[in-house]
Amino acid sequence: MPTLVSHPDEVKVISRRFGQGAADIDKYIELDGYKAVQKAISQGENMAAWIIDTMKASGLRGRGGAGFPTGMKWSFVPKQSEKPKYVLVNGDESEPGTCKDHVIFLHDPHAVIEGTMIAGLAIGAKMGFIYLRGEYRYLLKIMEKAVADAYAKGFLGKNIFGSGLDFDIVTQSGAGAYEVGEESALMESLEGKRGVPRIKPPFPAVVGLYGGPTVINNAETIASAPHILLMGGEAYAKLGSERNGGTRLFGISGHVERPGVYELPMGYNLKKAIYDVAGGIKDGKKLKAVVPGGSSCPVLLPEEIDVGLDFDQMGKAGTMLGSGGIVVLDETVSIVEFALRTIAFYQHESCGWCIPCREGTDWIKKTLTRVYNGGGSKKDVANVQYLAENMMGRTFCPLGDAAAMPTLGFVKKFRKEFEDYIEGHKAGTPIITVEQLVGAH
Amino acid sequence: MSEIANSIFTPETAARFDRLVTLYPVKRSALVPMLLYAQDEVGYVSDAVVTEIAQRLDLMELDVRNVLSYYSMLRTKPAGKYNVQVCTNISCMLRGGYEILDHCRHKLGIGHKEVTADKLFSLEEVECIGACCWAPAMQVNYDFHDNLTTVKVDEILETYRAGKGKDVK
């Protein structure tokens, strides 16, 4: 069971109920639970506009990785629609390095439910789906119980909080596919199909689940909504940095002394997060590299980590904030091995629909496997770069980019290590077999 | 009441399936969860499971197989009573995921996707299971075990062997 960590620099908004037994509905209510949704309803006719304005003022940007402003996303849903509208919560948290939603589902499931209701009220939906990855079965049970408890209290179902509005929530489980984290693939999966992406446009806000307008948000984004409505959009925005409102959950893993999920203000310094918050590099070793926002984000060198953790500053630093999963590598890590393990994941998870992703990930994996086993040539590094560059922007969904971006980062920033490795293993003695290394199939 | 006259599932699971199909605007949405729950009960998605689920959802068997082949947690062959899934993705790898996997291989005497002779354990190397900050980690059926050491793994396997393990399904 995940252990909770804490640090004085944390600003606890979304994590303020963690560790207090808020999975229990009565405890959740005691800790201001379901107040935000009632506050929204009390706005009367202005309810939808008030929610969306507050969300816009909060500067909240999607916590799943892309960082799109949430209030704006909700405002894109057409007011009038012949087909029913839906809210879909993306809890298919599968990006390696990311485990923040795990903690929300475990410690504050009702915040996800309340957030779903708020999103529903904002867009005029009567139904919400909370989709958890299949591996989170024990968390699905917690969510299922929380939803049942909310129904038992009369918070969900007909005439919620005397508003005359109805709202239903269905919890749903996936069955193991990273691709399903992509919003249109998530809709396909929820409709009982293979989780492959849809062509856009139309965008889900117009044509989404079952053909109806749909808002899809990451679980952390949704769980932030009740807190924002209670504290006010401006107050929330002030916690963060420019154009990056509020706080977010950062999962710091890998070679640090105190790995864990910490809630830090947007714009918090990455170096401080690693050295102060997470206790520095494990066993006093030297830092070699940081993957700052889940496995798809380009790697940073030690001299590049004095940067603020928000979408804009990370973009300027040539990488991404992504899902906030910071992976720290010490000096003992072989980048060749690490790059191979990363691409092996994307090769495994590519849905295979489009050629640049399906063939590109496979080709890069095979090339790096050969390099790792001692059979590489210097040309391989250039080939890997060429392949990754040709995947970028040429796939139906972002998985192709997600595979290409870290690969490019590794070969550009650690080219010498790749070349030295190839040079040093000219004898061609395999260190480890292919099956041992990438056997996860 | 189940629409299927001769269900291969227990009455509880059949009732759960009957309820599942009513939750969604479209019946087919229940497909992925149904396959998972069916697998939990039968041990794998057998031909009979495919047939009955297709019937329950008014789908062709081909539709069901098409989905079945896509998701990595669904299997068409039996696993052990306890399916040990060791994560070796980046965060776990950095903190010894491969040592844990090798230890399990040695301890159980089986490799990736193999089952022990007594059918008690099966072993899988899996991609990220969302326990990055508590790495290295593994799942036994749906039960998470994190901050692993080889000693801890031995204790965990022993607990299951003795029939005292938590079996989350």
Side-chain angles (χ1 to χ4, degrees), chain A residues 263-293:
Chain A
E263 182 168 8
L264 298 167
M266 291 293 271
Y268 192 87
N269 187 278
L270 171 59
K271 194 172 186 175
K272 263 186 94 172
I274 293 168
Y275 282 94
D276 293 354
V277 178
I281 313 305
K282 196 169 172 275
D283 302 328
K285 291 210 168 67
K286 271 194 343 211
L287 176 68
K288 180 164 184 174
V290 178
V291 177

Side-chain angles (χ1 to χ4, degrees), chain A residues 91-309:
Chain A
D92 190 80
E93 172 176 64
S94 313
E95 176 101 357
T98 314
C99 52
K100 64 190 175 62
D101 297 344
H102 191 142
V103 194
I104 301 174
F105 294 129
L106 179 64
H107 289 286
D108 208 2
H110 286 284
V112 182
I113 295 171
E114 194 178 354
T116 310
M117 295 168 82
I118 289 166
L121 294 175
I123 64 159
K126 287 186 166 47
M127 196 169 185
F129 297 92
I130 301 174
Y131 185 110
L132 267 63
R133 65 184 301 195
E135 288 87 343
Y136 285 176
R137 176 64 63 86
Y138 88 106
L139 300 169
L140 181 72
K141 285 190 165 188
I142 292 170
M143 281 308 307
E144 281 172 347
K145 182 180 181 300
V147 168
D149 290 348
Y151 270 108
K153 290 259 185 209
F155 296 173
L156 285 170
K158 300 272 176 223
N159 190 23
I160 53 166
F161 298 105
S163 63
L165 300 164
D166 307 334
F167 199 76
D168 288 294
I169 288 182
V170 173
T171 46
Q172 156 84 340
S173 167
Y178 169 75
E179 176 57 27
V180 170
E182 196 277 331
E183 58 180 12
S184 62
L186 183 65
M187 296 190 297
E188 288 288 296
S189 181
L190 189 76
E191 292 181 9
K193 300 173 213 156
R194 289 167 81 91
V196 295
R198 295 177 182 173
I199 290 177
K200 296 184 214 175
F203 289 95
V206 184
V207 182
L209 262 179
Y210 311 110
T214 306
V215 147
I216 305 177
N217 279 125
N218 172 258
E220 186 187 351
T221 315
I222 281 286
S224 303
H227 299 285
I228 291 168
L229 295 197
L230 283 185
M231 72 193 294
E234 286 80 11
Y236 182 80
K238 269 186 207 152
L239 296 175
S241 58
E242 201 189 344
R243 295 183 61 235
N244 288 267
T247 58
R248 95 173 276 188
L249 296 174
F250 289 100
I252 310 179
S253 66
H255 291 142
V256 286
E257 285 291 348
R258 287 192 304 272
V261 176
Y262 297 91
E263 182 168 8
L264 298 167
M266 291 293 271
Y268 192 87
N269 187 278
L270 171 59
K271 194 172 186 175
K272 263 186 94 172
I274 293 168
Y275 282 94
D276 293 354
V277 178
I281 313 305
K282 196 169 172 275
D283 302 328
K285 291 210 168 67
K286 271 194 343 211
L287 176 68
K288 180 164 184 174
V290 178
V291 177
S295 61
S296 63
C297 299
V299 66
L300 291 174
L301 298 171
E303 58 269 28
E304 294 172 319
I305 62 164
D306 193 4
V307 56
L309 283 164

Side-chain angles (χ1 to χ4, degrees), chain A residues 1-3 86 96-99 102-103 127 129 133-138 140-141 144 170 172-176 179 189-195 210 251-256 259-260 282 295 327-328 333 337-338 341-342 345 348-349 351 436-437 439-441, chain B residues 16 20 23-26 28-33 36-37 40 59 63 65-67 69-74 85 87-91 93-95 98 101-102 105 112-113 125-135 139 142-147 166 168-169:
Chain A
M1 195 73 81
T3 36
Y86 300 101
T98 314
C99 52
H102 191 142
V103 194
M127 196 169 185
F129 297 92
R133 65 184 301 195
E135 288 87 343
Y136 285 176
R137 176 64 63 86
Y138 88 106
L140 181 72
K141 285 190 165 188
E144 281 172 347
V170 173
Q172 156 84 340
S173 167
E179 176 57 27
S189 181
L190 189 76
E191 292 181 9
K193 300 173 213 156
R194 289 167 81 91
Y210 311 110
I252 310 179
S253 66
H255 291 142
V256 286
K282 196 169 172 275
S295 61
V327 186
V328 179
V333 180
E337 185 182 6
F338 193 83
R341 186 63 188 91
T342 303
F345 169 77
H348 182 254
E349 298 298 328
C351 80
Q436 269 179 308
L437 190 72
H441 289 277
Chain B
R16 185 181 213 176
L20 256 179
L23 293 178
Y24 301 93
V26 172
R28 184 176 177 152
S29 282
L31 176 55
V32 175
L36 270 175
Y37 295 137
D40 293 343
L59 294 172
D63 290 327
R65 288 188 193 282
N66 195 17
V67 168
S69 64
Y70 184 75
Y71 296 93
S72 65
M73 288 176 75
L74 298 171
Q85 300 185 307
C87 176
T88 59
N89 212 304
I90 53 175
S91 298
M93 168 188 166
L94 293 177
R95 293 184 85 96
Y98 278 104
L101 178 66
D102 282 343
R105 276 201 181 109
H112 174 61
K113 288 208 171 174
E125 179 187 1
V126 292
E127 299 296 351
C128 185
I129 54 172
C132 317
C133 291
W134 315 285
Q139 261 186 306
Y142 292 111
D143 197 10
F144 268 88
H145 298 280
D146 51 33
N147 285 312
K166 201 165 71 166
V168 184
K169 264 188 187 169

Side-chain angles (χ1 to χ4, degrees), chain B residues 4-6 17 19-21 37 68 71-72 78 89 93 109 116 131 136 140:
Chain B
I4 306 289
N6 293 306
F17 287 173
R19 188 172 168 270
L20 256 179
V21 293
Y37 295 137
L68 168 63
Y71 296 93
S72 65
N89 212 304
M93 168 188 166
T116 54
V140 181

